[in-house]
Amino acid sequence: MLHEYKTIEKPVENTLLKEKGSKFIGFAFPVNNETELKSALDKIRTEHPKATHHCYAFRMGLNGENYRANDDGEPSGSAGLPIYNQLLAHEITNVLLISVRYYGGTKLGVSGLVKAYKESAKITLEEANIITKELEIEIEFQFQFNQQNIIFTLLSKFDAKILNFDSQQTAIISARIKTKHKDDIIEALNSIQHVVCKIIEQ
């Protein structure tokens, strides 16, 4: 099972490619869900309302299983697909890649468009810092307050990030852990008396 994926560290904006008078402005955004995706697309459409085309492609999901390529009025396959192919070439996911075109008066033809959109996407990703992210899940567990030393030792052993600690008589912790440690940490917690553990979010 996959426990990590490659993506970009932070957004890249306004890379520029000029081709026969047309301007192609490139953007790349790390996105984790449809809401972030829509908000990034809306932002670019708002910033470039007079652009001729807003072509884009994205991949989301561990294996890039959620994806789309959009030509936004350019000839079919001449824009979205070359952009999408750059996401594949860089083996990244959870990324939205946009190329905004301002038409310069000279038609480029389908092969010219494919080349220009590919190049625009490529130079945008060359500006990006590609990082490897490990998958995490959130767990929550309850335990007796006097067990906290055992619990904290266990959490630090598995490099868990504590999100919330409610220290009543029955204490509750929510923490993020790397997915690869999930089975081990749950097994360890379940082997301690009075500890109740559940997964909040995969």
Side-chain angles (χ1 to χ4, degrees):
M1 187 182 156
L2 281 170
H3 293 306
E4 57 183 39
Y5 62 94
K6 278 165 49 177
T7 188
I8 61 174
E9 184 181 23
K10 55 181 189 286
V12 173
E13 302 195 40
N14 298 307
T15 61
L16 179 63
L17 173 75
K18 290 181 176 174
E19 190 66 45
K20 293 183 179 169
S22 277
K23 283 199 307 186
F24 296 84
I25 304 166
F27 301 86
F29 296 95
V31 288
N32 295 304
N33 52 50
E34 294 286 340
T35 312
E36 291 179 13
L37 182 76
K38 187 175 180 307
S39 128
L41 282 168
D42 289 346
K43 168 178 146 64
I44 298 308
R45 289 189 180 118
T46 307
E47 285 177 10
H48 293 275
K50 293 188 164 63
T52 328
H53 304 279
H54 301 86
C55 303
Y56 67 89
F58 68 80
R59 287 183 86 205
M60 287 197 295
L62 254 194
N63 300 301
E65 58 274 10
N66 181 0
Y67 63 90
R68 194 176 307 141
N70 187 315
D71 296 314
D72 193 35
E74 293 282 32
S76 179
S78 67
L81 201 56
I83 296 171
Y84 176 69
N85 284 338
Q86 286 304 304
L87 293 173
L88 293 181
H90 287 78
E91 298 177 335
I92 52 177
T93 188
N94 288 16
V95 177
L96 165 67
L97 195 50
I98 307 170
S99 186
V100 172
R101 181 188 181 196
Y102 285 87
Y103 181 54
T106 306
K107 284 191 159 40
L108 299 179
V110 171
S111 64
L113 286 171
V114 168
K115 186 167 169 289
Y117 280 109
K118 174 192 170 184
E119 197 54 35
S120 169
K122 187 165 177 274
I123 60 176
T124 303
L125 288 181
E126 280 166 359
E127 294 279 313
N129 184 20
I130 293 175
I131 56 170
T132 298
K133 276 192 150 181
E134 290 195 79
L135 283 188
E136 296 182 328
I137 57 164
E138 190 177 323
I139 59 169
E140 182 184 282
F141 45 94
Q142 300 178 3
F143 54 95
Q144 302 296 313
F145 187 72
N146 60 7
Q147 294 175 298
Q148 64 174 334
N149 286 351
I150 311 170
I151 298 291
F152 279 108
T153 305
L154 183 66
L155 289 178
S156 81
K157 177 184 163 191
F158 287 109
D159 198 19
K161 296 189 196 103
I162 293 168
L163 304 174
N164 194 26
F165 177 33
D166 183 3
S167 56
Q168 305 297 322
Q169 186 55 43
T170 300
I172 301 175
I173 282 183
S174 54
R176 289 194 80 74
I177 56 165
K178 293 187 170 66
T179 308
K180 65 182 180 190
H181 296 324
K182 180 182 83 171
D183 294 344
D184 293 337
I185 199 167
I186 287 174
E187 193 181 322
L189 286 166
N190 286 337
S191 70
I192 304 169
Q193 267 193 322
H194 310 303
V195 175
V196 182
C197 181
K198 64 179 178 183
I199 292 170
I200 303 291
E201 178 200 339
Q202 288 284 12

